[in-house]
Amino acid sequence: MSLTIELLPDPAANDLRLTQLAADRSTPLERLNVLYGSGLQRLAAQRMLTEAAGGGLAAVYGFTPVDLAEAAARLGRPPERLAWPPGADLVALRRMLDSLDLDRFDAHAPGLAPALLRTLTDLREAALSPDDLPDGDIRTVFGAWRDIVATVEDRSSRYEDAISQTTPDAAYREALGGAPLIVSGIYDLTRVQRLLLARISEAVEVHMLLVAPDDDPRSPPLRTLDALRRETAARVIRSPIPTSSRAPERYFSSGDPTAEADEMASRILGLGRDGIAFHRVAILHQQGAPGDERHAASLARADIPVWRVGGRQIAATPPGHASLVLCRLLLAPTSVERSALIDWLSHRSLRDRPLDITRRPGVWDRIAVEAGLSHGLHTMRNSLEDHFEVSRDEGGRDLLQIISDLGERSRALEAAESWGHAADILIDALDDYIENRPDSVVLLDAVRTTINQLAGNDALGAAWTTQDGLTSIGRALESQVVRDPRRLVGGVNIGAATGPARGIRYDAIFAAGVAERVLPAAGRQDPLLGDDQRAAINARIPAALALQRERGDSDRHAWALMRRAAVRQFTASWSRRSSAVGGPARASALILEAASDSLPAEMRYSEQALSDAGRIERIASPGVADAEHRAAPADAVDSSAFNLALLQLPYADTRALLPELWPQADASLHARARRSARDFTEFDGRLDPELIEDWRPLEQSWTPAALETFVTCPYRFYLHYVIGARGEPAPQRVDRRARWMFDRLVHRILSSWVREYEHFKTDRTWFEYADSASYLNAVARRILDSDAGAAALGPPAGAAAARNEVMRILERARRREAANARDGWRPLAVHVSYDGAQVRVQGGRALRFRGMIDRIDIHVGGRHRALSLFTEPDPPDVRGFVNGSSFLSVAHLCALNQRGVAIRDAEVEHRAIDADGAVSSQVLAGESLATRGGSAAPSDGERLRRTLAVVADQLETANFIPNPGAPPRNRPNCARCTFESTCTPDLGRRYQFKARHDPERVRDLESLRRLRI
Ligand code: SF4
């Protein structure tokens, strides 16, 4: 039999050759075996072959190397092996280290055992024996470890059994049905895999398709070729298939990784509109699980389906993390710290009412501090019991009940007789404490399965100890992944550039995060077996171990493959900041090199020059799109003026001439006369409702500010909200910063910060996020550095001070958020608009509100809070509704109610942080409006309804009398009114005069004014 290696220039040639080999069979039912690099490649190639065969494909068998090794070993005479339950390898290694006499290694050093496991796996995959290693600790450990794994089944043991002499050639022939084997999509092989290939080629004919995009001898395919040539009698041929033309390439950079992911999502939507199916698009990167999460979140925001090639690490998901912490609390009770316990009790994956107790982490934190709890589950329980004897605090009783329950479970685990018994206790605890939400069913099932598998240790004869249980569960949950339930066709493929998707052809490939030191990566050496030691072993056994310094070659090869695997479009990008909290990042040399193609020498490799030449698109950070503000009206009602030369003539009788030129002049003169009348008239805003077209004020929604304006001066309300006039704004002084821009800037930073929690929520609780200053500082820096941020800081001379002021306000805001998070609050939605939120007033009527809530928070107990943030020292009073000075809190309560929140579960907070960082807060509980008072002391709710009834009456009767305030002569209401020029200077005197002759007209308004005083 033989091994033929056919060198191909790119993945397209590989696919074409594979199709030809499948078509060359003498009959469509002749068996064909294909060995792929990954399960995903197998799936993609099967689909490609099926399409090439016109929809029907038979007798094509696909394997991955480990599948084939297992199949062949099973048909030989493999030794008896027991499967290791998850995490058992680490426990076994720790026990083994305890029994060894080591020279340099400290067996109990944290991190030694997991690092050793990686090194030992490398040595096994290099098919080395302890004799191949130099004298020392590694050799001692490897020798002892081989004895332990001799009877255990794991991934490496499948290769070891397959290449052992106990597996005859006939077993390979039987596993492959006697048919030849084609190898496709494999670029590098470990030594044990090469030995497997050599064994297979002795039993059947093997034809290996090897894609080598360039002639660099350091590239993984050419290294593999070199090793196979040395170890086997391989025949090497070069494929006549030419290189296919490359897809158009694009490059861009963005401000931060989230913006980069969002830009990709928007481009993928565009591809979808052009008819490219989402599963024909891939995002490949080398940024690990956080990169996967970030891209998946961006695509989810754009409603684009996603399939994560590498799955999700269980411990990095919220239910997995909460479960892992619970196991740690129960299995290591003496090392539990108070803060860790309280943090876990505020975890979002916990049940809202574990053990039928409503969670109140904020109250419990206070009680824990008062009771002097510090660490140790059982010690804390005793301290809390003593404290409760004295305080009899209800919250303390609940916390005591939970800590007692955890303590009892922990003691039961200590006394457990077997791994199976311990697994049952842990599963019970999970069921009682972790919430099984619909979106986390799969994840929780995976956690339960993993813990159930611990029972397998009993079959190995291992005794149960809590320490071993802790090690096993930690390793299992941190190393296992859960797969998305949808398969390849499920959406945009996201995964590692050097992972299972390597070499698969997609219509569009996005290479993300192609930044310096990320791709190609700056590799770190194995701390236990450095590159020099590995090179010394390789000098005796060629290509046995991979060197970490060669990692860059793998990344460069992955880059070349990505570029050639894109059928219609290839896009590469990086973000100019390394992360949301990181520093500046530069483009990878790979991008600069690719984008410099065919440019003159002086422009090559310069990011700026490539950007100027249009080769690299620089996506700017978004700025403030609009400059409008509620207090900055644009047009004046009286901005027009008549200046007719005719009227200037000395001989013209202007008074007679004017009505001829301008017929409405008569009405103007009439109006002027009526303003001096004793009673209020339509020229004072006392209108006949019929005059206003379609006037149904109770059927439309009003902003809280509109109704507050009405209560202040109904005429101002009429001008602004009924006829839509806008007053002349006070000119902005160039040497002062605009307060409203500053206010908006702070709001924008805080809302961006809350929104960006989306990217961290899989591995951070809201408390952890809010408690760390770095996230908010990163968002603040980003926005302050942008054009819009700089503009809001005012003149350059004061910008540094303004920036400090912003940072001071933000820091206080963040601390307040962290304190609230500790109390069990977390954000639910940001910038929530509402319309039609109604509140009932007398006569079966209702007033309707519309507007926007800065943020809605939710408490673990189910309460909802509408939060409004202010950067001024005097925010609107939450109880301002009793006199009509502020309807904001009422409108927000109605909005919460409109969203289905019961009034007793709703509350409103006005939170103000002034320039010095002083925080003040006012809270209005919804249930306070449901109480009843007496005639002498009406309740808040009754006063609200009375005030709103007056407003509703006045609106319905179209009573828009100008109200200059009290005393009328001083006109306090007019001081900051943008319509002052429409009201004559004698308005105060006239109001006093008319109010005396027509008191009925102003009685209700005056009653509101008195309430305000
Ligand atoms: S100037 Fe005074 S009276 Fe006239 S609309 Fe403004 S607040 Fe009302």
Side-chain angles (χ1 to χ4, degrees):
M1 295 299 156
S2 65
L3 169 62
T4 304
I5 301 175
E6 183 174 350
L7 290 177
L8 297 136
D10 55 28
N14 185 87
D15 281 1
L16 180 60
R17 191 72 186 102
L18 190 58
T19 315
Q20 286 173 351
L21 290 169
D24 281 352
R25 291 177 291 168
S26 53
T27 74
L29 292 179
E30 187 183 319
R31 177 164 176 150
L32 183 72
N33 300 299
V34 188
L35 183 66
Y36 299 102
S38 67
L40 185 63
Q41 279 184 348
R42 176 171 54 197
L43 211 59
Q46 292 284 102
R47 188 178 58 193
M48 185 269 299
L49 290 173
T50 307
E51 283 169 9
L57 184 71
V60 174
Y61 291 78
F63 299 90
T64 62
V66 74
D67 291 345
L68 185 53
E70 187 179 16
R74 220 184 293 125
L75 293 165
R77 288 187 304 280
E80 281 289 313
R81 290 184 186 271
L82 280 171
W84 249 344
D89 52 354
L90 192 56
V91 174
L93 180 63
R94 288 214 164 117
R95 282 205 187 133
M96 187 196 86
L97 290 174
D98 281 343
S99 66
L100 292 179
D101 184 17
L102 298 175
D103 192 20
R104 280 177 46 230
F105 292 165
D106 173 2
H108 300 287
L112 175 74
L116 257 179
L117 265 185
R118 286 192 289 274
T119 308
L120 294 173
T121 303
D122 280 1
L123 294 174
R124 287 179 70 195
E125 301 235 323
L128 297 176
S129 77
D131 296 340
D132 296 326
L133 303 178
D135 283 344
D137 285 346
I138 285 281
R139 180 175 171 155
T140 310
V141 171
F142 188 44
W145 186 240
R146 274 174 49 108
D147 292 342
I148 287 180
V149 296
T151 55
V152 168
E153 182 188 317
D154 64 1
R155 187 176 185 275
S156 302
S157 70
R158 292 177 193 158
Y159 287 118
E160 288 163 351
D161 288 350
I163 61 170
S164 94
Q165 291 309 317
T166 58
T167 306
D169 288 356
Y172 288 100
R173 276 194 291 276
E174 195 179 340
L176 294 168
L181 176 72
I182 296 168
V183 181
S184 168
I186 294 181
Y187 310 97
D188 42 16
L189 295 165
T190 59
R191 182 160 177 256
V192 80
Q193 288 172 330
R194 293 199 304 270
L195 293 174
L196 175 74
L197 198 62
R199 284 295 308 274
I200 297 170
S201 67
E202 286 168 10
V204 296
E205 249 179 61
V206 179
H207 189 122
M208 182 176 192
L209 305 178
L210 186 61
V211 176
D214 52 42
D215 296 331
D216 185 350
R218 293 170 304 172
S219 69
L222 293 191
R223 277 182 202 276
T224 300
L225 178 68
D226 188 41
L228 284 172
R229 265 179 161 162
R230 208 179 307 120
E231 293 164 3
T232 63
R235 188 171 67 98
V236 180
I237 55 173
R238 226 166 239 288
S239 170
I241 301 174
T243 310
S244 49
S245 58
R246 275 220 293 263
E249 299 193 350
R250 294 168 189 178
Y251 311 96
F252 73 84
S253 71
S254 62
D256 61 68
T258 305
E260 184 190 7
D262 287 347
E263 175 68 21
M264 283 186 186
S266 119
R267 291 179 185 222
I268 290 171
L269 277 179
L271 293 175
R273 281 194 292 275
D274 292 345
I276 296 182
F278 288 136
H279 72 269
R280 298 290 309 150
V281 179
I283 296 179
L284 304 178
H285 62 91
Q286 287 294 75
Q287 296 162 312
D292 269 11
E293 290 297 329
R294 184 167 52 247
H295 290 292
S298 276
L299 294 180
R301 281 199 295 276
D303 274 341
I304 300 172
V306 169
W307 191 73
R308 268 178 280 221
V309 169
R312 298 175 75 190
Q313 191 189 355
I314 296 180
T317 63
H321 181 253
S323 306
L324 182 58
V325 177
L326 172 59
C327 293
R328 285 181 183 149
L329 291 177
L330 299 179
L331 293 169
T334 51
S335 47
V336 175
E337 296 203 351
R338 181 193 75 219
S339 56
L341 176 68
I342 298 293
D343 283 356
W344 178 73
L345 286 171
S346 64
H347 201 291
R348 66 190 168 117
S349 288
L350 256 60
R351 287 183 184 281
D352 287 339
R353 289 178 53 77
L355 312 179
D356 277 341
I357 294 170
T358 303
R359 276 200 292 151
R360 288 191 291 172
V363 175
W364 292 345
D365 188 28
R366 175 181 55 76
I367 292 169
V369 172
E370 286 171 4
L373 308 191
S374 61
H375 68 278
L377 201 57
H378 305 307
T379 315
M380 287 197 282
R381 180 189 180 281
N382 295 338
S383 305
L384 195 57
E385 221 165 30
D386 296 344
H387 177 74
F388 183 63
E389 286 293 317
V390 179
S391 72
R392 312 305 295 176
D393 188 316
E394 192 188 327
R397 188 189 59 208
D398 292 347
L399 180 60
L400 179 60
Q401 201 175 330
I402 287 201
I403 295 184
S404 301
D405 177 72
L406 292 172
E408 279 165 27
R409 290 176 198 260
S410 177
R411 290 217 158 93
L413 280 166
E414 264 177 54
E417 292 145 9
S418 64
W419 287 81
H421 184 198
D424 289 344
I425 296 170
L426 288 169
I427 297 277
D428 277 350
L430 288 185
D431 290 344
D432 288 345
Y433 281 97
I434 311 292
E435 182 73 72
N436 199 358
R437 296 196 174 87
D439 58 347
S440 57
V441 170
V442 175
L443 295 167
L444 263 185
D445 278 352
V447 174
R448 279 202 198 90
T449 307
T450 305
I451 292 178
N452 263 326
Q453 286 170 346
L454 291 181
N457 282 295
D458 292 330
L460 293 174
W464 159 256
T465 66
T466 50
Q467 178 58 40
D468 288 350
L470 190 63
T471 305
S472 293
I473 291 172
R475 174 153 174 86
L477 294 184
E478 278 165 8
S479 61
Q480 292 202 9
V481 295
V482 276
R483 302 271 167 201
D484 291 345
R486 287 175 304 200
R487 295 306 305 266
L488 186 62
V489 291
V492 173
N493 285 206
I494 300 176
T498 51
R502 183 167 55 153
I504 296 178
R505 294 172 75 220
Y506 292 92
D507 280 354
I509 290 182
F510 289 82
V514 189
E516 200 176 63
R517 298 181 68 80
V518 177
L519 193 89
R524 279 183 307 168
Q525 292 197 24
D526 180 347
L528 303 177
L529 192 66
D531 277 359
D532 289 347
Q533 292 161 288
R534 287 172 176 242
I537 295 169
N538 286 353
R540 283 180 282 117
I541 305 162
L545 290 161
L547 308 188
Q548 276 304 318
R549 59 177 169 248
E550 289 166 0
R551 160 100 193 267
D553 298 334
S554 299
D555 285 356
R556 249 174 242 109
H557 176 243
W559 167 258
L561 273 184
M562 280 193 285
R563 293 176 74 193
R564 289 169 188 269
V567 178
R568 290 169 62 174
Q569 190 185 105
F570 174 78
T571 307
S573 60
W574 82 99
S575 71
R576 298 186 295 273
R577 280 191 184 279
S578 58
S579 70
V581 293
R586 292 165 57 84
S588 162
L590 296 173
I591 281 198
L592 297 178
E593 193 181 296
S596 300
D597 197 21
S598 76
L599 278 180
E602 65 276 12
M603 293 176 73
R604 293 168 70 89
Y605 308 114
S606 158
E607 192 185 317
Q608 187 61 49
L610 291 170
S611 193
D612 293 345
R615 290 285 178 100
I616 297 179
E617 192 181 349
R618 189 181 165 89
I619 311 277
S621 299
V624 172
D626 60 331
E628 73 163 30
H629 184 258
R630 61 180 187 273
D635 304 309
V637 67
D638 51 358
S639 61
S640 56
F642 296 95
N643 185 13
L644 291 178
L646 184 63
L647 297 179
Q648 311 280 331
L649 295 177
Y651 48 82
D653 180 357
T654 312
R655 203 178 168 83
L657 199 56
L658 196 58
E660 283 182 40
L661 291 169
W662 182 40
Q664 290 88 339
D666 256 353
S668 164
L669 294 174
H670 175 69
R672 179 167 288 176
R674 293 300 292 151
R675 279 188 178 170
S676 301
R678 293 164 68 92
D679 305 331
F680 288 104
T681 70
E682 65 265 37
F683 302 104
D684 296 307
R686 172 69 205 161
L687 301 183
D688 180 347
E690 296 296 318
L691 290 176
I692 309 176
E693 197 180 331
D694 209 16
W695 180 240
R696 294 194 194 89
L698 302 196
E699 287 178 23
Q700 72 184 90
S701 297
W702 300 101
T703 61
L707 297 191
E708 287 155 21
T709 304
F710 182 84
V711 175
T712 306
C713 172
Y715 188 52
R716 194 199 290 184
F717 169 88
Y718 170 71
L719 292 174
H720 189 114
Y721 294 99
V722 180
I723 66 172
R726 294 287 181 273
E728 187 81 64
Q732 174 67 40
R733 281 184 56 164
V734 291
D735 59 340
R736 298 249 174 94
R737 69 170 186 243
R739 182 76 220 174
W740 65 267
M741 282 181 79
F742 183 81
D743 187 50
R744 278 203 161 190
L745 177 68
V746 173
H747 272 76
R748 186 171 162 223
I749 293 171
L750 287 171
S751 50
S752 298
W753 173 63
V754 173
R755 282 203 185 100
E756 286 186 15
Y757 172 58
E758 273 294 312
H759 310 310
F760 299 93
K761 70 180 186 185
T762 49
D763 53 3
R764 297 267 186 289
T765 61
W766 167 247
F767 170 71
E768 288 167 343
Y769 183 75
D771 196 40
S772 164
S774 55
Y775 301 106
L776 180 57
N777 288 348
V779 176
R781 268 200 305 274
R782 195 179 69 232
I783 293 179
L784 287 171
D785 291 346
S786 69
D787 293 347
L793 296 177
R803 196 179 170 104
N804 289 342
E805 188 180 333
V806 173
M807 295 309 286
R808 203 162 43 235
I809 290 174
L810 293 175
E811 175 57 17
R812 291 308 302 265
R814 184 193 64 75
R815 282 197 219 159
R816 182 58 176 243
E817 294 286 359
N820 285 354
R822 195 180 277 280
D823 285 346
W825 289 99
R826 66 175 168 82
L828 189 64
V830 180
H831 290 167
V832 181
S833 59
Y834 59 90
D835 196 353
Q838 51 178 304
V839 56
R840 301 216 160 277
V841 292
Q842 288 165 359
R845 299 171 300 169
L847 266 169
R848 291 173 169 77
F849 287 105
R850 64 182 169 82
M852 170 98 77
I853 300 175
D854 282 349
R855 212 174 83 203
I856 297 180
D857 287 358
I858 185 169
H859 189 260
V860 287
R863 291 183 69 74
H864 285 61
R865 175 190 286 170
L867 175 67
S868 297
L869 287 164
F870 302 89
T871 57
E872 54 220 38
D874 301 313
D877 185 353
V878 282
R879 292 181 67 256
F881 56 84
V882 298
N883 58 24
S885 65
S886 170
F887 292 112
L888 195 63
S889 56
V890 172
H892 287 183
L893 277 178
C894 295
L896 288 178
N897 198 229
Q898 188 189 31
R899 289 168 65 91
V901 181
I903 197 73
R904 65 177 179 287
D905 289 334
E907 64 186 51
V908 170
E909 180 182 353
H910 290 181
R911 189 182 299 167
I913 305 168
D914 69 15
D916 298 327
V919 183
S920 61
S921 164
Q922 300 178 28
V923 176
L924 175 73
E927 58 203 356
S928 72
L929 297 184
T931 55
R932 299 175 77 89
S935 55
S939 70
D940 278 356
E942 287 160 349
R943 294 168 81 174
L944 166 68
R945 269 172 266 286
R946 194 179 299 171
T947 304
L948 289 180
V950 173
V951 173
D953 289 345
Q954 298 289 309
L955 281 173
E956 281 190 310
T957 53
N959 193 358
F960 301 121
I961 292 171
N963 182 4
R969 223 174 310 106
N970 295 349
R971 301 179 64 195
N973 285 353
C974 311
R976 299 175 65 185
C977 176
T978 48
F979 300 113
E980 198 186 0
S981 59
T982 63
C983 296
T984 54
D986 65 340
L987 179 99
R989 191 181 54 73
R990 282 195 293 109
Y991 179 87
Q992 233 169 354
F993 176 76
K994 294 190 179 191
R996 220 176 289 130
H997 288 87
D998 204 354
E1000 273 302 294
R1001 297 281 182 226
V1002 293
R1003 188 168 50 84
D1004 285 341
L1005 283 176
E1006 286 295 307
S1007 74
L1008 283 178
R1009 185 179 63 75
R1010 276 195 294 277
L1011 279 172
R1012 297 184 84 163
I1013 292 166

